[in-house]
Amino acid sequence: MDINNKELPAEISVWTKIKNFLFQDIVVTMTPKQEKVLREVHDFWHQEITGKDVHDFLFYEITGEKVKDFLFQEIKIVDNVKL
């Protein structure tokens, strides 16, 4: 084995530097709350939707009582929120 092998590049190319930067390992640490939110988002995007679900959504009966209940529902502030 020849130490002075001429086939090896003498220096690292720009493409190799870019590739090494783009494909480096990334370690992500999340708090339990962040993990819960990520799991809920994942479950939402991967839920099974059937034709019945689409029909029920499109033909949901909206009444004046339901609109009134939605608009005038009681909102509870559960944290120290400053506006």
Side-chain angles (χ1 to χ4, degrees), residues 20-33:
N20 289 341
F21 175 75
L22 291 176
F23 295 105
Q24 63 186 332
D25 290 334
I26 298 174
V27 178
V28 177
T29 56
M30 294 187 285
T31 65
K33 187 173 183 178

Side-chain angles (χ1 to χ4, degrees), residues 8-79:
L8 296 175
E11 60 184 55
I12 298 174
S13 69
V14 173
W15 169 244
T16 304
K17 290 178 183 179
I18 293 172
K19 185 182 72 160
N20 289 341
F21 175 75
L22 291 176
F23 295 105
Q24 63 186 332
D25 290 334
I26 298 174
V27 178
V28 177
T29 56
M30 294 187 285
T31 65
K33 187 173 183 178
Q34 290 171 328
E35 289 177 4
K36 179 179 179 272
V37 169
L38 184 63
R39 186 172 47 256
E40 289 173 354
V41 169
H42 176 271
D43 292 345
F44 173 78
W45 282 111
H46 292 91
Q47 66 184 330
E48 185 175 335
I49 299 175
T50 63
K52 183 177 180 337
D53 295 330
V54 174
H55 177 273
D56 292 346
F57 176 77
L58 293 176
F59 295 99
Y60 180 75
E61 184 180 351
I62 299 174
T63 63
E65 184 69 23
K66 289 180 181 178
V67 171
K68 182 182 82 78
D69 291 344
F70 175 75
L71 290 176
F72 297 106
Q73 62 186 327
E74 184 178 342
I75 299 173
K76 296 179 183 177
I77 299 175
V78 294
D79 202 357

